[in-house]
């Protein structure tokens, strides 16, 4: 699964510790996130979120006791494993003992069936359970083998029984969860270990018996033909003989075995035959499987599922280190006025008012002025302003400045049409201020509805322009919106006009 | 030897969203100060983006450029080698003007000279004005790679094409589009990839960052599904009992049930906000149907429920029908939907599916109340839409979102148009619901059901709502 990559591996004791802490916290419903443990996890900030969770769990007050309990539980796990192995050995030895008949004749067929048949049958069942197609979830739980389940049951039982820690209930839950996620691997390991021990016990006992006692061998049959049986015995013996370096039993030897019992000279051949078959067909596959699962167990440490409830509550605090503040750089910023070159507002001249446009959205020039502004201008016997042009870049600004500077007589005022879509900046402020020194500059702000359509905040943008006007000693004549309905504004048209005319 | 982090200066005209970009890239809605006004950021502020504790990128937020037009004239006056931009910038920085009128611009240029590259943030809704071209001219004088980043590209008034053309004219061919308000992991991935192309030698570390960020998004998605699944499992199994013949007690039980579900939903919202690094104070800005951390539009609103009940009931084999089927199967003995007590009609509450137990209860003269299927579907739908909105919400968003509660097809939330098995199981096992028993010991069972449910529900399925980023209607003037 993709999200695995976020869930890093941790050691089993750490996994159990974190998981048990999570369960305890979930149960109590309290997530203390401002304690020393959490702060330590944030401050030391190990690389992965899983490590941070583990670190926090370790630094918790109750942690050392809990860690002790976990160690005990894992100790219990090892004990259970040991007991299982011992049981396997004893069972194997017992089974081997049962085929060593008192009369000194070993029924080879019976011995193979007892000592090899049972483990092989169990192996087949294990294989079937493991690879039987079913849902992924089911498969996780099944197919671990009977001894493995016994082992797992025993170890959780031990964890529950041995522990005196108040969180033992949670620990048992964590163990069960571990069992659910990874138990199949562990239980399979135990299963194969058990049968390995069983075969070792059997082989060991046989070996001891063959060293110290004399046995003859026989292979009787009631319903099979001796031809078939002969072929079977040779077939079974082929590989062990090849591996152990012994000769394959000859036809005569097999016939003797089947007829009555093996001759005295053949004893060691058949003893080797039995032991080699047990090693090769019984012990070897089990040992290989045990080794495989052992390696898997050692190399694949459990992962914390950090998307589980309980961990999620920790994430906002623990994962904050993904972005680490580097702080403010350099000197504190100076007062805005220090950055501005502000000219005094000029006296109104006698000439016709002029109009300029600054970074306007619409293409057509000149823009329509509102009736209110027009009326105001007519009242002042100014006539409509002369549309000079647009100032959209540096060159145009210079040209316009130069043009206004040479106007004679000086215009009564400069109507600067600005768009509310633009954030007022110092660049505009400075230029308008330089114009303001030539003739009084009055602002007409348009495009309120366009700004609104963009999702912008008209009111605050107007305040920004008002602040600019204030700083650079300009006057806002009106907020005019030719695209939308007339809107009542804080510094509405009437306000602006009165303000404007009052100034003159 | 660990590589030193890649240092990037985030530059641009005032009020184009530099700090917003920082917020979105750091997933930290508390970074710096963001407003619609110019000159909000006055000082350079840095933040390091880390992967597993390794610093990959140092981002420096800079004040906005405001007076590039005059600055470029000053630089022209300084003169010097025409082709040696950096030395002209250096002599400007050591001149007194750099401490006065152009103090802010000087901070930006100093930071850029100290950085490996610049992200030049552009408000793509703006026309390509002369002042922006002046800014680009000054920035390129610093001889650092510049990656233009078009912000607000999701807006209908974005002029991305015009900008790309204009940028190509000044040889800036690699352009990233990254909307700080409408977030997508894909866009962020593209941003970093453009930067890799531009810088060449920093590829591996940035690739790690990309991979990490993508993993993080997947993780958040999975975790969010888990959170919602926990809620749904809890709510599905939530029950209150009342005397069969006591209408007042039934009302009380019904209200207790509603309270429990509402408060569980609050907890879930809080968890989701935490997961996506939003705080309840952001919720006010979210303008999801949330108010004070609470979803507006009551969960048990009769009109909404009736609407939903209709829609759910319409699809063949839909959730509600499945509930009814249980009643049919048990010959009506379960006292189920068919025999809902009059006082509870239309309250979003039915009388449970736990048929075996209901028989016992019936003998005792008690009924068991549970949240009904349409309500559960409605609840699931709006949680999934919340997740979707949070996934797509940049940490810089200040503008409200339009998220409609009723428009989506409720049945599309569940796979195969029916309540998932996990929900049914939860209904039948009220003991695992934390809403019935806060110290429920069956945590493992609940988590298993929730994990199962999280695998089958999908926020993509709840997204037939149209997100309106830039709605031209409804004037919002004070």
């Amino acid at each position: 699964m993709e999200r695995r990559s976020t869930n890093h591996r941790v050691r089993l004791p750490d996994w159990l510790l974190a998981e048990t802490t999570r369960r305890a916290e979930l149960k109590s419903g309290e997530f203390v996130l401002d304690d020393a443990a959490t702060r330590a996890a944030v401050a030391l900030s190990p690389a992965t979120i899983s490590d941070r969770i583990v670190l926090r769990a370790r630094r918790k007050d109750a942690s050392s006791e809990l860690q002790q309990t976990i160690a005990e539980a894992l100790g219990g796990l090892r004990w259970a494993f040991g007991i299982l192995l011992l049981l396997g050995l004893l069972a194997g030895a017992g089974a081997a003992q049962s085929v060593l008949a008192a009369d000194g004749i070993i029924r080879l067929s019976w011995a193979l069936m007892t000592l090899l048949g049972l483990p092989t049958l169990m192996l087949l069942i294990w294989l079937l359970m493991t690879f039987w197609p079913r849902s992924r979830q089911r498969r996780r739980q099944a197919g671990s083998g009977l001894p493995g389940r016994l082992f797992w049951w025993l170890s959780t039982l031990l964890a529950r029984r041995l522990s005196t820690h108040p969180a033992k209930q949670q620990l048992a839950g964590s163990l069960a969860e571990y069992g659910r996620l990874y138990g199949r691997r562990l239980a399979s390991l135990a299963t194969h270990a058990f049968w390995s021990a069983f075969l070792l016990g059997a082989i060991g006992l046989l070996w001891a018996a063959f060293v110290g006692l004399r046995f003859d061998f026989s292979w009787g049959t009631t319903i099979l033909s001796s031809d078939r049986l002969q072929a079977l015995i040779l077939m079974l013996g082929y590989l062990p003989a090849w591996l152990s370096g012994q000769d394959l039993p000859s036809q005569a030897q097999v016939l003797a075995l089947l007829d009555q019992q093996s001759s005295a000279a053949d004893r060691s051949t058949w003893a080797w035959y039995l032991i080699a078959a047990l090693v090769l067909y019984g012990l070897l596959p089990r040992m290989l499987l045990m080794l495989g699962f052992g390696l898997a167990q050692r190399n694949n440490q459990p992962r914390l599922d950090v998307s589980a409830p309980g961990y999620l509550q920790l994430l906002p605090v623990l994962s904050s280190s993904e972005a680490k503040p580097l702080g403010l750089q350099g000197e504190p910023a100076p007062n805005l006025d220090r950055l501005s070159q502000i000219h005094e507002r000029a006296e109104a001249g006698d000439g016709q008012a002029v109009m300029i446009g600054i970074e306007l959205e619409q293409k057509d020039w000149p823009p329509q002025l509102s009736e209110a502004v027009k009326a105001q201008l007519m009242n002042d016997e100014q006539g409509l302003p002369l549309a000079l042009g647009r100032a959209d870049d540096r060159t145009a600004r210079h040209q316009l400045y130069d043009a206004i500077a040479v106007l004679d007589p000086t215009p009564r005022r400069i109507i600067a049409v600005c768009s509310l879509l633009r954030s007022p900046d110092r660049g505009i402020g400075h230029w308008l201020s330089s114009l303001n020194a030539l003739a009084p500059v009055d602002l007409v702000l348009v495009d309120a509805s366009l700004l609104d359509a963009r999702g912008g905040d008209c009111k605050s943008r107007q305040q920004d322009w008002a602040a600019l006007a204030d700083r650079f000693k300009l006057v806002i004549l009106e907020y005019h919106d030719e695209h939308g309905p007339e809107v009542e504004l804080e510094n509405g048209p009437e306000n602006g006009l009165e303000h404007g005319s009052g100034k003159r | 030897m660990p590589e030193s982090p890649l240092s990037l200066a985030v530059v641009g005209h005032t009020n184009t969203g530099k700090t917003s970009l920082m917020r979105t890239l750091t997933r930290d809605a508390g970074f710096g100060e963001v407003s619609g006004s110019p000159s909000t950021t006055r000082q350079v502020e840095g933040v390091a983006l880390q992967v597993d504790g390794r610093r990959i990128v140092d981002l420096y937020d800079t004040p906005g450029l405001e007076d590039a037009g005059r600055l470029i004239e000053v630089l022209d006056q300084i003169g010097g080698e025409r082709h040696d931009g950096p030395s002209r910038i250096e002599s400007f920085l050591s001149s007194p003007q750099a401490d006065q009128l152009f103090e802010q611009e000087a901070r930006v240029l100093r930071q850029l000279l100290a950085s490996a590259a610049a992200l030049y943030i552009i408000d793509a809704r703006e026309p390509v004005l002369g002042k922006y071209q002046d800014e680009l001219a000054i920035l390129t004088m610093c001889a650092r790679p510049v990656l233009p980043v078009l912000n607000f590209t999701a807006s209908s008034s974005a002029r991305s094409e015009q900008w790309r053309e204009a940028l190509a004219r000044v040889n800036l061919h690699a352009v990233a589009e990254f909307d700080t308000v409408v977030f997508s992991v894909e866009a962020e991935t593209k941003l970093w990839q453009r930067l890799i192309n531009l810088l060449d030698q920093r590829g591996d570390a940035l690739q790690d960052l990309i991979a990490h960020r993508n993993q993080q998004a997947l993780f958040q998605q999975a975790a969010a599904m888990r959170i919602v699944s926990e809620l749904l499992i809890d709510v599905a199994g939530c029950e209150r009992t009342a005397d069969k013949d006591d209408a007042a007690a039934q009302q009380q039980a019904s209200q207790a049930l509603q309270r429990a579900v509402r408060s569980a939903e609050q907890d879930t919202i809080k968890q989701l906000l935490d997961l996506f690094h939003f705080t309840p104070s952001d919720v006010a800005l979210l303008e999801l149907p949330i108010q004070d951390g609470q979803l507006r539009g009551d969960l048990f609103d009769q009109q909404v429920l009736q609407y939903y009940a209709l829609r759910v009931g319409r699809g063949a084999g839909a959730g509600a029908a499945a509930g009814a089927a249980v009643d049919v199967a048990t010959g009506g003995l379960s006292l189920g939907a068919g025999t809902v007590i009059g006082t509870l009609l239309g309250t979003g509450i039915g009388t449970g599916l736990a048929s075996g137990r209901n028989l016992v209860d019936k003998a005792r003269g008690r009924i068991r109340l549970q949240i009904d299927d349409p309500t559960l579907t409605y609840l699931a739908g709006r949680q999934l839409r919340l997740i979707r909105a949070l996934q797509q919400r940049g940490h810089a968003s200040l503008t409200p979102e339009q998220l409609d509660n009723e428009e989506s097809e409720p049945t599309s939330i569940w796979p195969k148009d029916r309540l998932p098995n996990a929900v049914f199981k939860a209904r039948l096992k009220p003991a695992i619901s934390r809403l019935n028993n806060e110290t429920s010991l069956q945590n493992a069972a609940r988590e298993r059901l929730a994990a199962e449910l999280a695998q089958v529900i999908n926020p993509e399925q709840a997204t037939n709502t149209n997100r309106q980023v830039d709605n031209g209607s409804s004037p919002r003037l004070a």
Side-chain angles (χ1 to χ4, degrees):
Chain A
M1 276 191 307
E2 315 94 323
R3 84 174 113 128
R4 274 276 166 91
S5 39
T6 328
N7 306 343
H8 295 271
R9 296 178 186 282
V10 293
R11 289 170 52 239
L12 176 56
D14 289 341
W15 190 91
L16 288 173
L17 179 65
E19 195 65 16
T20 308
T21 310
R22 172 179 87 93
R23 280 159 194 276
E25 281 182 324
L26 263 186
K27 183 155 184 275
S28 71
E30 280 175 41
F31 296 90
V32 185
L33 293 173
D34 55 354
D35 58 343
T38 313
R39 279 197 298 274
V42 172
L44 293 175
S45 197
T48 67
I49 184 77
S50 304
D51 288 341
R52 271 171 246 154
I53 290 173
V54 168
L55 182 66
R56 176 176 176 274
R58 270 201 218 144
R59 295 284 178 100
K60 281 257 159 202
D61 288 337
S63 159
S64 60
E65 207 184 332
L66 185 56
Q67 275 177 299
Q68 182 62 34
T69 310
I70 288 172
E72 280 165 15
L74 290 178
L77 214 74
R78 274 180 220 111
W79 269 105
F81 198 74
I83 290 170
L84 194 75
L85 286 189
L86 197 67
L87 278 176
L89 272 175
L90 288 177
Q97 174 68 40
S98 74
V99 301
L100 298 177
D103 59 0
I105 298 172
I106 292 175
R107 276 75 186 171
L108 200 50
S109 51
W110 193 239
L112 282 173
M113 247 189 280
T114 313
L115 302 179
L116 196 56
L118 186 62
T120 309
L121 184 69
M122 298 315 275
L123 184 64
L124 286 177
I125 291 175
W126 178 82
L127 282 172
L128 204 68
M129 297 286 274
T130 304
F131 296 108
W132 193 261
R134 28 164 121 218
S135 76
R136 193 192 298 174
Q137 204 194 355
R138 282 267 179 104
R139 206 188 299 164
R140 266 190 175 165
Q141 292 157 20
S144 47
L146 211 56
R149 287 186 180 204
L150 179 75
F151 152 74
W152 189 250
W153 174 78
L154 196 66
S155 43
T156 45
L157 187 79
L158 284 176
R160 223 179 279 223
R161 282 288 151 83
L162 293 177
S163 165
T164 52
H165 195 272
K168 66 177 177 180
Q169 202 72 338
Q170 270 71 43
L171 178 59
S174 306
L175 274 171
E177 178 68 7
Y178 179 79
R180 194 172 70 79
L181 293 172
Y182 302 98
R184 194 173 73 83
R185 203 169 60 200
L186 202 57
S188 292
L189 172 65
T191 297
H192 298 309
F194 172 84
W195 286 111
S196 297
F198 176 92
L199 283 155
L200 271 177
I203 291 166
L205 194 98
L206 283 182
W207 182 265
F210 290 160
V211 168
L213 299 167
R214 182 190 306 138
F215 290 100
D216 286 313
F217 295 85
S218 77
W219 191 315
T221 178
T222 309
I223 52 171
L224 286 183
S225 77
S226 66
D227 284 355
R228 290 256 178 88
L229 211 50
Q230 195 182 351
L232 178 73
I233 291 169
L234 287 175
M235 198 179 74
L236 274 178
Y238 183 77
L239 258 183
W242 181 68
L243 276 178
S244 62
Q246 300 281 320
D247 290 328
L248 193 67
S250 65
Q251 293 267 351
Q253 284 172 320
V254 176
L255 280 177
L257 180 79
L258 287 175
D259 189 32
Q260 191 67 141
Q261 67 184 58
S262 57
S263 66
D266 297 345
R267 277 178 191 141
S268 77
T269 308
W270 291 115
W272 274 116
Y273 178 94
L274 178 58
I275 286 180
L278 287 182
V279 169
L280 193 74
Y281 298 126
L283 189 59
L284 199 65
R286 286 291 188 178
M287 288 288 250
L288 285 177
L289 282 167
M290 184 178 83
L291 206 68
F293 278 100
L295 281 177
Q297 178 65 20
R298 226 179 69 175
N299 295 339
N300 296 312
Q301 291 179 323
R303 297 168 192 271
L304 279 185
D305 177 6
V306 292
S307 68
Y311 292 141
L312 283 178
Q313 280 84 339
L314 309 181
L315 285 188
V317 178
L318 292 185
S319 66
S320 57
S321 63
E322 258 179 52
K324 182 174 147 202
L326 302 173
L328 292 168
Q329 321 275 311
E331 303 282 306
N335 190 299
L336 271 180
D337 286 338
R338 221 186 101 189
L339 311 176
S340 316
Q341 203 170 28
I342 301 157
H343 300 277
E344 284 304 314
R345 189 170 168 90
E347 290 295 313
D350 301 322
Q352 186 189 7
V354 296
M355 177 164 71
I356 55 173
I358 298 166
E359 295 171 352
L360 294 176
E361 194 78 356
Q362 73 264 34
K363 293 275 186 298
D364 38 320
W365 174 259
Q368 288 296 311
L369 286 179
S370 71
E371 293 306 321
V373 172
K374 279 184 196 163
Q376 170 74 24
L377 295 175
M378 300 306 278
N379 273 352
D380 295 349
E381 297 170 10
Q382 290 182 327
L384 287 179
L386 173 70
L388 273 191
R390 305 171 56 132
D392 290 349
D393 55 27
R394 256 184 309 141
T395 327
R397 283 184 192 180
H398 283 304
Q399 284 170 352
L400 281 172
Y401 179 87
D402 293 344
I404 294 171
V406 298
L407 276 183
D408 191 26
T410 316
R412 279 170 178 275
R413 56 167 118 188
I414 302 171
I415 309 266
V417 184
C418 303
S419 172
L420 279 172
L421 288 171
R422 316 280 163 256
S423 294
D425 57 45
R426 260 182 298 119
I428 291 178
H430 279 143
W431 185 63
L432 288 177
S433 182
S434 66
L435 290 182
N436 205 25
L438 300 176
V441 174
D442 291 350
L443 302 182
V444 170
L445 291 163
V446 298
D447 294 341
S449 60
L450 289 182
L451 179 63
D452 193 52
R454 215 190 238 189
D457 183 348
C458 251
K459 197 173 163 191
S460 86
R461 184 58 57 85
Q462 282 163 9
Q463 281 165 359
D464 296 337
W465 278 97
L468 180 101
D470 202 38
R471 191 144 61 93
F472 289 96
K473 301 179 177 172
L474 313 168
V475 167
I476 294 182
L477 200 59
E478 78 156 355
Y479 299 103
H480 167 58
D481 190 3
E482 64 206 57
H483 300 282
E486 287 286 320
V487 278
E488 278 302 317
L489 301 165
E490 209 168 64
N491 285 340
E494 284 169 31
N495 247 341
L497 275 179
E498 271 170 27
H499 191 46
S501 42
K503 271 260 172 181
R504 278 185 304 107
Chain B
M1 199 191 90
E3 260 184 300
S4 60
L6 171 70
S7 139
L8 293 177
V10 178
V11 300
H13 193 76
T14 186
N15 208 11
T16 50
K18 294 175 290 299
T19 307
S20 298
L21 180 90
M22 302 285 286
R23 285 188 172 181
T24 305
L25 290 182
T26 55
R27 314 281 190 274
D28 179 4
F31 178 85
E33 197 184 328
V34 167
S35 79
S37 302
S39 333
T40 314
T41 304
R42 305 280 311 282
Q43 226 175 327
V44 174
E45 186 174 358
V47 68
L49 302 183
Q50 310 194 107
V51 170
D52 293 343
R54 192 159 49 105
R55 258 163 85 175
I56 305 282
V57 173
D58 288 354
L59 286 171
Y60 290 96
D61 188 19
T62 65
L65 297 166
E66 293 199 38
D67 205 355
R70 293 214 301 176
L71 177 59
I72 209 165
E73 284 166 5
V74 169
L75 286 168
D76 279 344
Q77 281 161 20
I78 286 175
E81 275 294 319
R82 181 112 200 113
H83 301 292
D84 192 359
S87 76
R88 280 162 75 190
I89 297 282
E90 293 284 2
S91 39
F92 158 70
L93 287 177
S94 54
S95 74
Q97 278 168 307
D99 287 333
Q100 291 161 8
L101 283 181
F102 300 105
E103 202 266 358
Q104 298 280 283
E105 281 76 9
R107 281 176 195 262
V108 179
L109 294 175
R110 283 200 187 97
Q111 187 56 52
L112 178 50
L113 287 179
S115 303
L119 300 178
Y120 178 71
I121 314 302
I122 294 165
D123 183 342
R125 300 168 302 188
E126 290 276 286
V128 188
L129 294 169
K131 61 187 177 190
Y132 302 130
Q133 285 165 328
D134 291 342
E135 285 165 10
L136 281 166
I138 295 172
L139 293 177
T140 45
M141 265 190 212
C142 293
R144 292 285 182 279
V146 174
L147 178 68
V149 178
L150 299 178
N151 192 5
F152 302 111
T153 45
S155 159
S156 56
S157 44
R159 299 170 153 112
S160 305
E161 272 318 300
Q162 284 178 35
W163 270 105
R164 281 176 182 280
E165 269 173 41
L167 289 165
R169 277 166 198 268
V170 288
N171 258 327
L172 292 170
H173 298 283
V175 179
E177 292 196 8
F178 186 79
D179 198 303
T180 54
V181 176
V182 184
F183 175 76
S184 82
V185 186
E186 295 76 28
E188 188 183 337
T189 300
K190 273 189 192 159
L191 172 72
W192 297 124
Q193 265 160 356
R194 291 279 141 76
L195 205 60
I196 291 174
N197 294 343
L198 208 62
L199 295 171
D200 206 27
Q201 77 274 29
R202 297 298 191 125
D204 288 348
L206 284 174
Q207 288 291 6
D208 287 351
L209 183 66
I210 292 173
H212 178 76
R213 296 253 146 154
N214 278 288
Q215 276 169 22
Q216 204 58 26
L218 282 173
F219 164 74
Q220 277 181 333
Q221 157 115 351
M225 290 298 106
R226 278 287 280 274
I227 292 171
V228 170
S229 298
E230 292 259 335
L231 170 73
L232 294 175
I233 294 297
D234 275 341
V235 170
C238 182
E239 64 171 24
R240 295 289 181 269
T241 56
D243 198 286
K244 195 173 69 174
D245 303 315
D246 186 347
Q250 283 166 22
Q251 282 290 3
Q252 249 173 10
S254 160
Q255 273 157 15
L257 191 58
Q258 295 189 357
R259 268 199 307 278
V261 172
R262 282 198 193 102
S263 113
E265 194 188 19
Q266 292 323 308
D267 292 347
T268 302
I269 292 172
K270 172 82 177 56
Q271 279 195 53
L272 287 174
L273 289 173
D274 277 348
L275 177 69
F276 289 96
H277 305 294
F278 289 103
T279 57
S281 65
D282 289 306
V283 176
L285 296 172
L286 260 167
E287 221 174 276
L288 291 169
I290 295 179
Q291 275 174 344
D292 307 325
Q294 192 162 7
L295 276 172
R296 201 170 54 203
D298 189 72
L299 185 57
F300 298 99
D301 183 275
Q302 293 219 3
Q303 266 189 323
V304 176
L305 288 179
Q306 277 166 10
Y307 172 88
Y308 262 72
L310 273 175
R311 296 269 206 113
V312 173
R314 197 190 293 151
V326 173
D327 281 329
V328 173
T330 54
L333 285 176
S334 73
L335 265 180
T339 52
V340 169
I341 315 299
T343 50
L344 300 174
L345 266 176
T347 57
I349 288 173
T351 49
L353 301 175
S355 50
R357 285 150 26 93
N358 264 326
L359 279 176
V360 178
D361 286 333
K362 191 187 178 190
R364 286 200 205 133
R366 296 184 71 76
I367 55 163
R368 223 164 258 277
L369 305 181
Q370 285 189 329
I371 298 300
D372 65 9
D373 290 354
T375 311
L376 198 64
T377 305
Y378 176 46
L379 179 69
R382 68 184 198 176
Q383 289 300 320
L384 293 181
R385 282 193 296 282
L386 173 65
I387 291 173
R388 196 69 185 151
L390 291 177
Q391 281 175 329
Q392 295 182 337
R393 184 175 169 80
H395 283 78
S397 307
L398 291 171
T399 48
E401 312 224 6
Q402 299 294 316
L403 203 95
D404 212 326
N405 244 344
E406 284 109 50
E407 278 307 304
S408 83
E409 280 289 325
T411 46
S412 66
I413 288 157
W414 309 121
K416 296 178 204 155
D417 280 3
R418 48 183 285 265
L419 285 188
N421 279 336
V423 175
F424 267 115
K425 285 184 210 159
R427 275 229 190 283
L428 295 170
K429 288 185 204 166
I432 68 172
S433 169
R434 278 174 301 188
L435 303 185
N436 298 328
N437 177 8
E438 284 199 4
T439 53
S440 170
L441 284 176
Q442 303 201 31
N443 264 334
R446 193 192 61 252
E447 283 183 17
R448 221 167 299 157
L449 280 186
E452 188 186 326
L453 184 59
Q455 295 291 325
V456 297
I457 53 172
N458 182 353
E460 306 283 335
Q461 283 161 333
T463 54
N464 23 23
T465 48
N466 294 323
R467 282 174 48 84
Q468 288 177 301
V469 176
D470 206 342
N471 53 329
S473 58
S474 69
R476 252 176 288 110
L477 281 173

